Amino acid sequence: MEYTFTLKYQLADDAEDRDLLVERLAVAGCDDALIGLGIAGRMALEFMREALSAEQAIESALRQVKSVMPSARLIEVAPDYVGLTDVADLIGVSRQNMRKLMLTHYQSFPLPLSEGNASLWHLADVLGWLEHRGGYRWPPAVQETAQVALNINLSQQIARYHNDDRE
């Protein structure tokens, strides 16, 4: 199955020339990624990778990137953090329809990570809720990929704050 996901990194201050990094990433096996370097000190790699599972696809990409950029810090694996518009686009409904679903079923709708002008949810949580309700469709690999992304992001956050406590 083909899995689509994005790895976002903060580059080290002493990172190599960007063009050289892109070439080395391709040689390391990341030639199935579209690489974005639009923000200074950041790199985003959008993969479309064939694998037996989302976990295998993402873990192999993480290893390949780490072999080329060992000091780069993983910021996020996507798809994970989403707003209602993102979910609406994915399942083919309007944002207003998605908001109505959330408000109508506020007791059972997944809790957001952050609530405010730009509320965010874990995509896996919302897709799990929608799957339970039935009647909505999305590309087959998205839910599995979102669950793996959520697991990696949570592990990263726990490790980050655990390490911060020791400093």
Side-chain angles (χ1 to χ4, degrees):
M1 184 174 289
E2 185 174 83
Y3 297 94
T4 301
F5 56 95
T6 302
L7 306 178
K8 298 177 183 175
Y9 286 91
Q10 177 183 18
L11 301 176
D13 287 340
D14 61 347
E16 298 175 45
D17 174 75
R18 292 171 163 207
D19 292 335
L20 183 58
L21 276 178
V22 171
E23 287 179 28
R24 291 185 61 217
L25 285 165
V27 170
C30 298
D31 53 347
D32 56 348
L34 179 63
I35 299 176
L37 296 161
I39 300 174
R42 308 277 192 201
M43 179 181 284
L45 299 98
E46 183 179 296
F47 288 88
M48 294 179 69
R49 180 161 288 197
E50 290 283 336
L52 295 176
S53 70
E55 185 173 1
Q56 286 181 351
I58 294 173
E59 291 293 337
S60 66
L62 288 168
R63 281 191 305 275
Q64 291 167 342
V65 172
K66 182 95 176 162
S67 73
V68 174
M69 306 184 311
S71 55
R73 294 177 61 193
L74 181 65
I75 298 170
E76 174 187 354
V77 179
D80 183 16
Y81 308 118
V82 293
L84 290 178
T85 302
D86 302 313
V87 178
D89 290 345
L90 181 65
I91 65 172
V93 300
S94 68
R95 185 194 182 289
Q96 291 77 14
N97 189 322
M98 196 64 223
R99 180 171 167 75
K100 184 177 177 184
L101 269 175
M102 177 194 68
L103 294 174
T104 302
H105 303 283
Y106 68 92
Q107 289 288 348
S108 63
F109 196 82
L111 292 175
L113 297 166
S114 171
E115 191 168 62
N117 287 338
S119 297
L120 294 174
W121 288 262
H122 286 293
L123 179 60
D125 292 345
V126 177
L127 292 180
W129 183 83
L130 289 167
E131 183 178 47
H132 182 72
R133 282 188 47 81
Y136 298 94
R137 300 168 98 185
W138 50 85
V142 172
Q143 191 165 1
E144 180 187 355
T145 306
Q147 185 63 54
V148 173
L150 182 158
N151 293 344
I152 293 171
N153 289 333
L154 285 178
S155 295
Q156 288 283 112
Q157 291 297 314
I158 290 168
R160 176 177 160 206
Y161 288 104
H162 180 72
N163 290 337
D164 284 350
D165 287 344
R166 292 181 172 186
E167 292 178 9

